[in-house]
Amino acid sequence: MGGILVDRFGKPVAFREGVAAARKVAISSVASQDGKGISLALLGTVADQLQLLASLGYSLQLVLAGDKASCDKASHAILNLLKLKEPVVELPVEHTAEEGALALGAARGFGAQLLVVLGANRGVELEQGRIARVYQPPAAGSAAAAAALPPLVAAAWAAASTSGGVPVLLAGLAEPDVLLRVAAGQDVGTLFDPAAAEAAGGAKAVAAASSARDLAVRARAASRKLQALSSEERSAALLRVADGLLAAQDDILKANAQDVAEATGRISESLLQRLVLKPAKIAQLAEGIRAIAAQEEPLGRMLRKVEVAEGLILDKITAPIGVLLVIFEARPDALPQIASLAIRSGNGLLLKGGKEAAHSNAALHRVIVEALGSDLGPDLISLVTSREEIEGLLALDDVVDLVIPRGSNALVSHIKRNTRIPVLGHADGICHVYVDAAAELPTALRILLDAKTDYPAACNAVEKVLVHKDWVEKGGLQTIREALQKAGVTVHAGDSVKPMLADLPSAPSPRHEYSALAVTIEVVDSMEAAIDHIHKYGSAHTDCIVTTDGERAEAFLRGVDSACVFHNASTRFADGFRFGLGAEVGISTSRIHARGPVGVEGLLTTKWVLRGDGHVVAKDAGVTYKHKPLPAAVAEAEAAGGRGRRHGGGPRCVVM
Amino acid sequence: MGGILVDRFGKPVAFREGVAAARKVAISSVASQDGKGISLALLGTVADQLQLLASLGYSLQLVLAGDKASCDKASHAILNLLKLKEPVVELPVEHTAEEGALALGAARGFGAQLLVVLGANRGVELEQGRIARVYQPPAAGSAAAAAALPPLVAAAWAAASTSGGVPVLLAGLAEPDVLLRVAAGQDVGTLFDPAAAEAAGGAKAVAAASSARDLAVRARAASRKLQALSSEERSAALLRVADGLLAAQDDILKANAQDVAEATGRISESLLQRLVLKPAKIAQLAEGIRAIAAQEEPLGRMLRKVEVAEGLILDKITAPIGVLLVIFEARPDALPQIASLAIRSGNGLLLKGGKEAAHSNAALHRVIVEALGSDLGPDLISLVTSREEIEGLLALDDVVDLVIPRGSNALVSHIKRNTRIPVLGHADGICHVYVDAAAELPTALRILLDAKTDYPAACNAVEKVLVHKDWVEKGGLQTIREALQKAGVTVHAGDSVKPMLADLPSAPSPRHEYSALAVTIEVVDSMEAAIDHIHKYGSAHTDCIVTTDGERAEAFLRGVDSACVFHNASTRFADGFRFGLGAEVGISTSRIHARGPVGVEGLLTTKWVLRGDGHVVAKDAGVTYKHKPLPAAVAEAEAAGGRGRRHGGGPRCVVM
């Protein structure tokens, strides 16, 4: 359930015991957007939640507001389809505060332990869009008390405060899983309850709110300011980040030493390796950021230019996506790299790092905020350090445009399964090399050994070798197996080769990513069988054919539906740097937005700009359409994206 | 909650009364992917569900399988964080069927009314990936009975069948909301329960399954076959569809007449208008499909070509997305148009039409299936007519790549809120026209009248007029208001103009889409204030500035963060045909994948093809990187997308 605010181990972010204990609940005001009666489509957005709660034993009362006809229609639908045990109360009133008072009366008559009022607002709004957790009545004699309260707020407070009153919860109809979150006692909406108000005490507790949401909203505003800067100004900010990293080196290393000391013995040796920062690494980081600053301007690139009609010119240009959420584990050096890519491409950023690197991340983040200056710094790039954990962030699908996970397969899978925000990344890298009947064996061996041993844990390392059956009699199967074993690779037998190579250990499953010096070997009857096998058990990441038969190679490249398809080349080439994309954002196995190794273009969207001179459509009689393509800079720009740079090896499945 | 299988009114697709009634539930086998112990990250995927069920009063027992150390770690996390009332039972066993038997024993000891066993499989698999709802033991003496049952299946059946047995439910750990769906009594996994097996009776009931999922899986396989066809073969299939429509005209019109007769009086007059098919419309449809057949081949277009190293050539080419789900209301003519775009672009398709057009849709679908032939026809393009409703389809995020809703705002909003599948479309079209201080009033009036009256209900019609404050004294505000009123437009006052134009009705809210001959008018202090207003209340669809000040126009075009930004041109130009994209897929306000008016390219993704000669990475020492851009056909192809055609007016917010 995407919207439930629990941390990664299921711990709720906050718990409202009293609310969670209520089993007899009235729910009011499923009103339509235009305030006129009930829309069945809108009702549908909470109907599944009502049905689940009802099936879980809740007594529910639904108080509908709207005109008689739509109430009748809706209550018929609800009674018959949801099989609610309690009748639906109809309130044929207009869309006013009166509605609130009537709903309260109905709830009291029902004996509800809680009344949930769903509306357009997410609750009682405080400054900067924050929602009060618990409503606090203004102090007597204060200016706020003198001002008239919104009628619904006044009614809710009165209902909750009178003897035998019903606690009221105001929440947003459009919030994901709103009723389920209420039932689970989570922080959603504003609670009107004198006891809770007293317990919450001072203004501070009241104002506590979904801070990550605020951060995202502010990041978007800051990203709009950033876009208004010139390319040179954005480059200059990046150079300040690079200088700042070097200047703050001592602070950063000190913070990092603290992280390392705390983590030693608590995390694996390989994770610990990734956690450590050294002066050389910081210098390398600064150099990388200077390279990003020197890159071609990614924003405003002309992708298409069309003369729509005489004097009416349409451009399609690149623009930033908006607000990115990057969730990363261990490696603190990822932070300045990701931040620099965001600055270059005009995006706002929420960063959520692993706890093991908390001090290092804070020190690095400070450098970036200072380099950006007081106007942009505090808002554009935020390090989420609040109690809100990953699940809470993943629920921000209305204010975050893209999630980029950087970490283990388990983290990426978890994120993909638990958010409605698009995810740029890949969970699995189950890459295949198919050795065709027409392969040259030395070529096949060279490619196989490189694809497995160059960096066995990489996502683009081969996990499965498919050998054409002709090689069984010709001895090639044995040769391949022995060459791999000689190179230290544990060769596992897939079902098809178990009878031939009985001494090999069995593969754990037909779909298995070793991420280690191990592969599964299988025999296939034909290239078509290899393609079917890849579609059935692969992860559509990178798959390769080794053959001298050009026609068969083309059929394989056309037929295999993966992000990267190779002929006679190691799967290890599937990498942003090796592809010449410059800075790598990650490798995506998604079929939407960006696929395969992704460069900065993965952080961009497009925008249509139309310039006219008073042009009108007038039923398409107002203009004579030409739709004449004009020369755009796109060809060179797109092709020149290939301008890459040499780089060393290493684990780079995700952000540079 | 995305995954709950209820129809749009909350009616569950199926209900397991007995399972839903269980309140004491044991849950087993949260095993990690590699079968070795428990991964906390994987546990996290069900932890939120466990927490919710626990908070709803369920007694839960969690039976963990794995080695002792990981059990300890996991049970510590669960006990402390989830506050489960019952202890966690540890089963320090290997990943085998024995695990199942031990879990059953533990569940019995706990007195569980149900044992849920979560694993890698979605249940007991029948033919074609279907999952048995209820397990049926093979008849005595049958071949199946003679063959050995998988150990876990045998154990589950034995446990359920013995006296005092516990019903067992086998389900997939990775299925969204799996435990909540089980708790709600929905069809998920396979139930082992002698009573249920008897009730289910014959083989037919057992095989009933999630048919929409099957359709999606088959559509992907068919789309891969389609891609293997040549461009000419796909064009020929489209021409057969066009011919077939004309040949089947009588059948189609007969079916349509039946829909119209049944819908008359039950749906609005405007919806009824859209439902009606006439011979002229069918002829127009056939012509449109011929135009799609004649279009340039969209697949395999070269977007980039790079010489990575000597003899190592990288291509980035276009490829189909895979499987699309199109949900449309009313207009049956959308069906052949969408199907044709899918065929041209090599995609598989699930179509879910409105009930009001059921007969028409069936007749049109028959024509397409016949035109595609027996190899592709039955699988490539499916009309979902089963009981599964929209919510069920929206849960298919693992087998559907993109949803394209075609219908009312309410439908689109609902879909956006309730699925993890990327959505191509827009819910709102709250477009602004800002009349700058330096505007020519006649130009502003011409644009405003066109933007509102050309087609008032269109998504690209203006909903809000922002007037620079200088026009108040100069009388321009009055002129604008009067010109709009004279054209029949109801002008509503926003907060800022209420004091000046007190006789106007108030705007219902600062963010309102009239979709009718009505607008809101506001006065703003500056262009910057106009931009802020648009960001705060707009929908990032299409926004326009009217001014003679070129510098200010450019600042507006740069500063407004919408899919379409216009200078001195009517918002009504925001349309795929008018932009020259040819066939229009829809208008997207998403910031991912495609934005603004979307042509066929919205149905495409990319694929990287690397051709080498035995190239290996060898820690990047194996090759000398060149990254030399080679001439690609991209420039012309991309720019030539502008080659459009004239077309009539009309509502075309979504698929052509």
Side-chain angles (χ1 to χ4, degrees), chain A residues 55-338:
Chain A
S55 77
L56 295 176
Y58 279 75
S59 289
L60 300 175
Q61 180 200 41
L62 199 60
V63 186
L64 301 174
D67 61 78
K68 184 86 178 98
S70 48
C71 270
D72 280 354
K73 209 160 126 202
S75 66
H76 176 82
I78 294 158
L79 285 177
N80 283 295
L81 300 175
L82 296 189
K83 298 190 176 62
L84 289 189
K85 288 178 196 89
E86 303 292 332
V88 172
V89 177
E90 292 167 21
L91 295 176
V93 296
E94 288 303 301
H95 181 69
T96 64
E98 199 188 338
E99 183 179 301
L102 285 170
L104 288 163
R108 213 174 274 144
F110 173 62
Q113 297 155 318
L114 176 70
L115 169 64
V116 181
V117 178
L118 297 176
N121 299 319
R122 293 187 294 123
V124 174
E125 225 172 279
L126 304 172
E127 79 290 352
Q128 294 187 303
R130 288 182 182 163
I131 299 299
R133 260 182 200 169
V134 174
Y135 176 73
Q136 294 281 23
S142 72
L149 289 174
L152 193 59
V153 170
W157 182 246
S161 307
T162 52
S163 77
V166 188
V168 178
L169 204 137
L170 290 187
L173 177 59
E175 293 216 72
D177 303 331
V178 59
L179 291 177
L180 300 179
R181 291 165 69 194
V182 168
Q186 294 180 353
D187 264 340
V188 57
T190 303
L191 179 64
F192 290 75
D193 178 351
E198 201 169 321
K204 195 156 170 251
V206 183
S210 53
S211 63
R213 176 178 300 275
D214 297 340
L215 294 177
V217 169
R218 278 189 259 141
R220 188 175 308 275
S223 105
R224 285 169 177 159
K225 278 191 209 170
L226 180 66
Q227 291 168 51
L229 298 184
S230 68
S231 180
E232 291 70 31
E233 287 171 307
R234 270 178 285 121
S235 288
L238 284 177
L239 296 177
R240 288 198 302 276
V241 172
D243 293 343
L245 283 178
L246 296 176
Q249 180 172 303
D250 290 351
D251 290 349
I252 295 167
L253 292 177
K254 208 167 128 192
N256 185 247
Q258 198 176 342
D259 283 331
V260 172
E262 288 174 14
T264 303
R266 289 182 45 241
I267 62 176
S268 72
E269 188 55 34
S270 66
L271 269 184
L272 202 61
Q273 288 292 327
R274 295 181 182 191
L275 181 56
V276 177
L277 289 175
K278 289 183 177 163
K281 206 171 211 174
I282 292 177
Q284 197 187 342
L285 272 176
E287 190 204 345
I289 293 168
R290 289 212 173 88
I292 294 174
Q295 271 179 9
E296 193 192 354
E297 169 62 30
L299 298 180
R301 278 205 300 135
M302 188 83 67
L303 300 175
R304 181 188 292 220
K305 197 176 191 73
V306 178
E307 186 181 8
V308 171
E310 187 67 38
L312 188 64
I313 308 295
L314 178 68
D315 293 345
K316 186 183 187 183
I317 62 172
T318 55
I321 285 185
V323 178
L324 317 174
L325 166 62
V326 178
I327 300 175
F328 60 110
E329 292 177 324
R331 306 182 65 155
D333 48 322
L335 191 151
Q337 290 170 332
I338 296 165

Side-chain angles (χ1 to χ4, degrees), chain B residues 122-249:
Chain B
R122 293 187 293 122
V124 174
E125 225 171 281
L126 304 172
E127 79 290 354
Q128 293 188 303
R130 288 182 182 164
I131 298 300
R133 260 182 200 167
V134 174
Y135 176 73
Q136 295 280 26
S142 72
L149 288 174
L152 194 59
V153 169
W157 181 246
S161 308
T162 51
S163 77
V166 189
V168 179
L169 204 137
L170 289 187
L173 177 58
E175 292 217 73
D177 302 332
V178 59
L179 291 177
L180 300 178
R181 291 164 69 193
V182 168
Q186 295 181 354
D187 263 341
V188 56
T190 302
L191 179 64
F192 290 74
D193 179 353
E198 199 168 323
K204 197 159 169 245
V206 183
S210 53
S211 63
R213 177 178 298 274
D214 297 339
L215 294 177
V217 169
R218 279 189 259 142
R220 188 176 308 276
S223 106
R224 286 169 178 159
K225 279 193 212 169
L226 180 65
Q227 292 168 49
L229 298 185
S230 69
S231 180
E232 291 69 31
E233 286 170 307
R234 272 178 283 121
S235 289
L238 284 176
L239 296 178
R240 287 199 301 276
V241 172
D243 293 343
L245 283 177
L246 296 175
Q249 180 171 304

Side-chain angles (χ1 to χ4, degrees), chain A residues 466-519:
Chain A
L466 306 176
V467 180
H468 189 277
K469 64 172 182 197
D470 285 5
W471 287 110
V472 178
E473 286 203 0
K474 288 197 276 175
L477 181 66
Q478 274 293 355
T479 311
I480 289 170
R481 164 253 175 100
E482 282 162 15
L484 284 166
Q485 286 177 325
K486 206 171 145 195
V489 179
T490 308
V491 180
H492 293 255
D495 285 346
S496 59
V497 296
K498 269 185 207 162
M500 308 164 205
L501 306 172
D503 58 321
L504 292 182
S506 292
S509 87
R511 182 189 157 85
H512 188 76
E513 184 171 7
Y514 295 97
S515 300
L517 265 179
V519 291

